[in-house]
C-alpha cells in the first residue's frame, strides 16, 4: 500500500523528464499534479506517515530554494524534488538518496554523451544545446521511477 502513491506518480515523472530534456523547464502544472496525486492517495499511507513525508518535503523545498538562490539548482527542480518526497516512504529516505545519487550520475553521463553526438547535439532540444547546465528533471524522474524497484529488490 505504501508504494501505490509513487506508482500513480509514474506518468507525471515521465512528463517531468521529457519537459526538462526538451525545454529545460519543469512546468508548475506537473508539480501541482504531483501534489494533487499525493492528496488523493494520502489515505493509503496514514496520518503519522503523512506528517513525516510533509516534513521531508518542506526540508527539501527549503534546501532547493537555497540552492536556487545560489544559482546551483533550478526552481522547478527544487519544487519537483520536494513534491516527489511526498511519495517516498519515510523508512526508505536513505535508499531514495542513494537511488537519486545514482540517477544523477547516470543522467550527467547520458547528457554529456548525447552532447558529443553530432546528430543529437544539433537537435532542437534545449538540454542538448546548453552547455554548463543539467536537466535535473531526468534524475528526479529516474529516482522516482526506480525507487519502488530498489525497495522491491531489497525486500
Amino acid at each position: 500500500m505504501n508504494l501505490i502513491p509513487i506508482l500513480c506518480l509514474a506518468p507525471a515523472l515521465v512528463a517531468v523528464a521529457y519537459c526538462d530534456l526538451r525545454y529545460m523547464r519543469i512546468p508548475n502544472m506537473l508539480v501541482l499534479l504531483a501534489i494533487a496525486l499525493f492528496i488523493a492517495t494520502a489515505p493509503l499511507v496514514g496520518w503519522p506517515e503523512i506528517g513525516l513525508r510533509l516534513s521531508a518535503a518542506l526540508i527539501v523545498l527549503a534546501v532547493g530554494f537555497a540552492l536556487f538562490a545560489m544559482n546551483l539548482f533550478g526552481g522547478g527542480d527544487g519544487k519537483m524534488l520536494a513534491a516527489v518526497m511526498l511519495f517516498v516512504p519515510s523508512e526508505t529516505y536513505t535508499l531514495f538518496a542513494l537511488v537519486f545519487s545514482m540517477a544523477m550520475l547516470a543522467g550527467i553521463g547520458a547528457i554529456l554523451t548525447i552532447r558529443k553526438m553530432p546528430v543529437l547535439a544539433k537537435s532542437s532540444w534545449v538540454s542538448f544545446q546548453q552547455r554548463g547546465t543539467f536537466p535535473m528533471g531526468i534524475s528526479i524522474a529516474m529516482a522516482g521511477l526506480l525507487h519502488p524497484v530498489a525497495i522491491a529488490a531489497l525486500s
Side-chain angles (χ1 to χ4, degrees), residues 94-125:
T94 304
L95 178 61
F96 182 79
L98 177 64
V99 172
F100 181 61
S101 298
M102 292 175 17
M104 282 191 51
L105 289 173
I108 290 168
I111 291 298
L112 291 176
T113 302
I114 288 169
R115 287 179 180 166
K116 297 283 184 201
M117 299 173 149
V119 172
L120 294 175
K122 292 180 182 176
S123 78
S124 62
W125 288 39

Side-chain angles (χ1 to χ4, degrees), residues 3 15 20 22 31 34 41 49 51-52 65 67 70 91 93 97-98 100 103 112 119 149-150:
L3 292 177
D20 212 16
R22 181 77 175 92
V31 176
T41 60
E49 180 68 13
L52 292 170
F65 278 141
L67 292 171
M70 294 185 286
E91 65 273 6
Y93 287 155
L98 177 64
F100 181 61
L112 291 176
V119 172
V149 175

Side-chain angles (χ1 to χ4, degrees), residues 53-135:
R53 292 183 187 195
L54 284 171
S55 298
L58 288 173
I59 291 167
V60 168
L61 186 63
V63 171
F65 278 141
L67 292 171
F68 173 70
M70 294 185 286
N71 205 24
L72 298 173
F73 215 65
D77 299 330
K79 291 182 284 189
M80 193 65 213
L81 187 55
V84 169
M85 291 307 296
L86 295 170
F87 295 86
V88 176
S90 61
E91 65 273 6
T92 65
Y93 287 155
T94 304
L95 178 61
F96 182 79
L98 177 64
V99 172
F100 181 61
S101 298
M102 292 175 17
M104 282 191 51
L105 289 173
I108 290 168
I111 291 298
L112 291 176
T113 302
I114 288 169
R115 287 179 180 166
K116 297 283 184 201
M117 299 173 149
V119 172
L120 294 175
K122 292 180 182 176
S123 78
S124 62
W125 288 39
V126 178
S127 67
F128 299 162
Q129 299 296 317
Q130 288 186 351
R131 303 288 184 225
T133 61
F134 173 65

Side-chain angles (χ1 to χ4, degrees), residues 12-32 34 73-84 134-141:
L13 290 173
V14 171
V16 165
Y18 170 78
C19 290
D20 212 16
L21 280 171
R22 181 77 175 92
Y23 305 107
M24 286 293 292
R25 298 191 66 78
I26 297 175
N28 285 334
M29 189 56 69
L30 291 175
V31 176
L32 293 173
F73 215 65
D77 299 330
K79 291 182 284 189
M80 193 65 213
L81 187 55
V84 169
F134 173 65
M136 185 81 65
I138 61 169
S139 297
I140 295 168

